[in-house]
Each structure stands twice: as C-alpha cells, then as structure tokens.
C-alpha cells in the first residue's frame, strides 16, 4: 500500500486528501497545515477523519489553542510517506521541497509553482510515461488540465495541428475575498499561460489564446478552435468525448445552461462540496468553422486536477507503468466512467 501525505489543506489540498482516501491501493497518512483555517476547523468538527500535522512547528500553538488535535510536524509526516502532494500557496512548495529532498521523499506540486520546482511537467493523459519513476512532478493549472484532456483526446484520434483558445476565467474560488468585489471584465495579455503550458506538454501542437477574468466563482469556460490533420465533424467529436471518462457531454436542451447549472448538478448528485472531476462539453456548441472545429468546455476549477494528481502518484511510484493502466485505476476508484 502506497503511503501519501498532503501539504496544505485548502481548496485543492482537502480535495486531494479525499481523492487519495478513495484510492484502494493508497493510504492517506495525514495532512499538514499552519493555522486553524476554515477547512482545518471543519476537519476537526468532522471528528478528524485525517490526521493533521503542523507545517510550522513554532506556530503549533495556533492549533492547540483552539483544541485541534495535532499528530506531529510536516517533517515527521514526510518521513512516514512514499510521496507528498504539495498544495500549499505558490512559492511555499519550493521551500517544502528542501524537506522532501532531505528524506528522499517524492513529491507532486500544483500549477501555481514555477516549472523549475519539478523534473517533469505532468498530465496523466498527455504524457503519463514521462512521469514514470520521476522524483518531482508538477501538475498543470486547472484550466490547462481540462483543456489538455480535450485536445489530447482529439489528437490521439485524428491529430491536432494547432488550437486557438479563449478562456472566460472565474476571478476567485467560492469563499475568497482577496480579489475584492468587482463589476468588470479584465483582459489578460496574449498568449495566455494555458496555451504556452499546453505546448510544453504537447510540443507538436501550435497553441495560442486570450484570457478574460470574470467576476464569478464557479468554473471557467474555454472555447477552443482546433485545426486537425483530418477534418472532423460534430458526430465524430461527440463520440470521442463521450468515450472519455474525464469528459462529460451535456446539452443546453437538458437544462445545462452554464457553469452554475453544472455546479448545482454536482450538488444534486451528492458530490461533497459540489465537486466535479470531469470537464463538461456542451453538445450544442460543437460546430465547424471551415476545416476547423470549435466547442465550449466547463472547467470545475476546485476539483478538476484531482484525477491527474492521482495519476502522478501512480507514475512516480511506478504503480502502473503504462498510461492506459494508470489512468484506468484512477478513474475506477474515483468513480469516473465513459458515458457514450
């Protein structure tokens, strides 16, 4: 049984912990954080289903003073595990890497860290093989993760030459206030980092894109225009997407009118926190533009990267040494399946 620890119990960290706990061939040893944040307080109120370790020993009193049980320090957690999933704030993971190296413990970092923190820039479907046996892997951002799922699926079927993307980006996660209250759309400089990151993972694809920040919190929407080696039509693309366990095809006609509809549907399904691991493609948005094809996808930013993190564990620890076997195990334990 592979032993896993999580550093940072925030938006991504708590979902990573839940994801690991669902993997029948992994054991979640514990999670580490600094202070009694709301997720940490909720963990305590739920009866501490996961052991909590203090990430900064000299600040342990912050947890002790409010009666939250502490099982040890981050350094002690690192010594107990085979691999760490680091979901700390950008820059903190690079500092934590010194602890991981000290004890020869592998680690997976999230999209906010700089690429040089890791040996491999990783995506479960697009370049699983590059992560096999690697000591330090870095995941792509939520937008890039979901985008690559769709582009990779098309690329494996007919080959992708280039893509141009527009990202309508939520400005903050639910519950966040650091971006302030706003009534505006903000345009970012092109090309956006998601297009550049896609080309890092899939260097044979020419990608560019524009990003627009929007004052919403539940999900991003991306509209790719894809140039393929062989012209694709709607029905062919629908078959590809419906066969993909991490892509959910939805219809406007069925009431999936936008990002809020998908978030509500995840809650109606009984998913914790309204999490959804799949990206969604709206069937009615798939259209041809000359020889190109375009469509719109929804990125549930809080949970979309969890499957790829599980893939990263499997690759780094050589639990499965082929892409198909690795992602299949992750999908099985997370309950993800094709809906074709």
């Amino acid at each position: 049984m592979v032993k896993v620890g999580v550093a940072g119990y925030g938006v991504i960290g708590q979902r990573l912990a839940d994801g690991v706990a669902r993997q029948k061939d992994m054991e979640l040893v514990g999670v580490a954080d600094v202070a009694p944040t709301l997720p940490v307080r909720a963990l305590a109120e739920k009866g501490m289903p996961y052991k909590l370790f203090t990430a900064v020993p000299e600040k342990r009193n912050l947890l002790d003073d409010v009666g939250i049980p502490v099982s040890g320090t981050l350094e002690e957690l690192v010594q107990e595990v085979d691999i760490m999933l680091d979901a700390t704030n950008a820059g903190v993971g690079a500092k934590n890497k010194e602890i991981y190296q000290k004890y020869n413990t592998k680690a997976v970092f999230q999209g906010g860290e700089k690429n040089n923190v890791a040996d491999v820039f990783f995506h479960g479907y697009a370049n699983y093989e590059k992560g096999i046996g690697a000591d330090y892997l870095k995941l792509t951002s939520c937008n890039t993760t979901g985008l690559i799922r769709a582009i990779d699926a098309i690329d494996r079927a007919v080959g992708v030459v280039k893509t141009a993307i527009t990202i309508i980006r939520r400005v903050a996660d639910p519950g966040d206030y650091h971006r302030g209250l706003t009534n505006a759309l903000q345009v970012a400089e092109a090309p956006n980092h998601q297009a550049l990151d896609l080309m890092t993972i899939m260097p044979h694809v020419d990608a560019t894109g524009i990003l627009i920040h929007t004052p919403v919190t539940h999900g991003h929407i991306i509209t790719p225009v894809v140039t393929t080696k062989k012209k694709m039509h709607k029905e062919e693309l629908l078959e590809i997407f419906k066969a993909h366990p991490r892509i959910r095809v939805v219809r406007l006609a069925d009431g999936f009118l936008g990002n809020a509809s998908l978030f509500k549907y995840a809650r109606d399904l009984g998913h914790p926190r309204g999490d959804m691991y799949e990206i969604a493609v709206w069937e009615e948005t798939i259209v041809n533009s000359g020889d190109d094809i375009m469509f719109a996808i929804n990125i549930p930013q809080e949970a979309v990267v969890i499957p790829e993190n599980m893939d990263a564990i499997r690759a780094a620890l050589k639990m499965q040494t082929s892409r198909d076997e690795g992602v299949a195990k992750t999908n099985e334990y997370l309950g993800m399946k094709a809906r074709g």
Side-chain angles (χ1 to χ4, degrees), residues 50 84 106 111 138 156 182 250 263 335:
Y50 310 139
M84 289 292 301
K106 293 175 183 276
K138 177 186 175 296
R156 291 178 185 273
T182 181
V250 298
F263 181 73

Side-chain angles (χ1 to χ4, degrees), residues 122-129 139 156 246 307-308 311-312 323 327:
F122 181 83
H123 188 281
Y125 271 81
N127 68 348
Y128 184 95
E129 291 80 7
L139 272 289
R156 291 178 185 273
R246 298 185 191 176
E308 279 72 14
D311 298 338
R323 165 190 178 270
V327 300

Side-chain angles (χ1 to χ4, degrees), residues 234-235 238 242 249-252 281-286:
K234 180 173 183 174
E235 291 306 318
L238 273 174
K242 287 179 178 179
V249 176
V250 298
R251 301 196 319 144
L252 295 168
V281 177
W282 281 277
E283 181 175 326
E284 293 94 332
T285 67
I286 302 175

